[in-house]
Amino acid sequence: MGQLPNMPWSIHSIMLFFALGDVLLVSTEPVRTAMIQIVKTSVVEGEKVEFRCVISAVHGEQAENKGRNWFHLYKNREKISSQPEPGGRGAVTFTKQDITKNDAGNYTCMYGNENPGDVKNISHGSSVYLNVQELSYQLTLQLDKHNPMEGMDVSFKCMIPAELRDAAGEESFFHLYKDGSRVDSQAAPKGVPGVAFDFKNVKRSDTGSYTCVYGKEKLVNSANSKRSRPVYLHVTEYMTATSQQKLTGEMTTPNTSIKTQHTDGRGKCE
């Protein structure tokens, strides 16, 4: 069997050639990774978390045309957010509000082009694991109408369950939140472990996720207070006769025509 001719490049050269074909997709150079920093690695649902992504000084000196360089935040090797590098500072902060159990996972940072493509097989450098503790729901929030029409009245009833009343404390204020912003507050009546938040003539803009919180009159951090599971209110558009006619369209005309034929023909279609 004849010998293979001498190749002008080695197998290492071939691998390097393919690697250079798309540096962003297969490169494992440290210049493509970034350090990730986090203040707390264990948080409770509802808290805010800030991820700080920083590139090394060496990379900062080598980088050219910083306007095209981006930071990317990954969770379990799936990209979840991106930001351009601001003014060559070499760092950005990713903020996640209202953390939930689904946000738990392993987070890493990458530094590169705006669209890095598939980087699942690249070494992502430093990483942090975020542990999210499930919030203990200590209130009950009930809504009498989940899908009211515009102009209707709705009522939220916020109560402390019987088994938790002895440990409820003396904060004595109930607060109603919509999408994380407080919309109403009431002092707890003496001897009554709950309140009702009544809304008159609701509008489409009232649609949202509502949560009840029990604590002091002025809350510093609602995430650390007793709270309920969220309840979703969906306000639908008020259906006038004109609106219904627009929705049915031409279907109204044949029905009217048939009824007229029966009336005019005394039971016979002409």
Side-chain angles (χ1 to χ4, degrees), residues 119-226:
V119 292
K120 292 182 181 180
N121 298 321
I122 296 181
S123 172
H124 283 214
S126 66
S127 64
V128 294
Y129 185 85
L130 178 67
N131 179 51
V132 182
Q133 303 174 21
E134 184 175 2
L135 186 66
S136 176
Y137 295 105
Q138 297 172 301
L139 300 180
T140 300
L141 183 62
Q142 298 176 345
L143 177 60
D144 61 346
K145 305 179 189 73
H146 287 265
N147 297 282
M149 283 189 180
E150 290 180 298
M152 298 181 68
D153 300 339
V154 299
S155 179
F156 293 91
K157 291 183 179 179
C158 184
M159 298 168 289
I160 302 174
E163 65 273 15
L164 298 175
R165 289 172 191 172
D166 293 339
E170 300 297 330
E171 290 89 350
S172 70
F173 261 83
F174 289 92
H175 307 275
L176 188 66
Y177 282 75
K178 175 200 168 191
D179 298 332
S181 299
R182 188 167 61 176
V183 293
D184 199 0
S185 298
Q186 286 190 44
K190 291 185 178 180
V192 181
V195 297
F197 295 97
D198 297 321
F199 288 80
K200 304 291 185 182
N201 301 317
V202 293
K203 303 181 292 293
R204 295 288 297 278
S205 58
D206 292 319
T207 294
S209 181
Y210 288 79
T211 305
C212 184
V213 177
Y214 181 76
K216 297 180 180 180
E217 182 176 2
K218 293 184 178 180
L219 292 177
V220 177
N221 185 356
S222 65
N224 296 330
S225 303
K226 299 174 180 65

Side-chain angles (χ1 to χ4, degrees), residues 27-49:
S27 172
T28 58
E29 291 296 321
V31 296
R32 291 297 177 184
T33 63
M35 293 178 57
I36 185 168
Q37 302 168 348
I38 188 174
V39 176
K40 292 193 301 180
T41 57
S42 183
V43 297
V44 178
E45 285 184 305
E47 289 192 57
K48 178 180 74 173
V49 176

Side-chain angles (χ1 to χ4, degrees), residues 1-9 11 14:
M1 180 181 295
Q3 294 183 350
L4 293 173
N6 293 329
M7 303 296 291
W9 51 75
I11 186 66
I14 296 174

Side-chain angles (χ1 to χ4, degrees), residues 7-21:
M7 303 296 291
W9 51 75
S10 65
I11 186 66
H12 297 289
S13 299
I14 296 174
M15 293 175 66
L16 179 62
F17 173 79
F18 283 108
L20 291 177

Side-chain angles (χ1 to χ4, degrees), residues 16 47 49 53 63 71 84 103 106 155 163 239 257:
L16 179 62
E47 289 192 57
V49 176
C53 294
F71 283 94
D103 292 315
N106 202 52
S155 179
E163 65 273 15
M239 297 297 291
S257 176

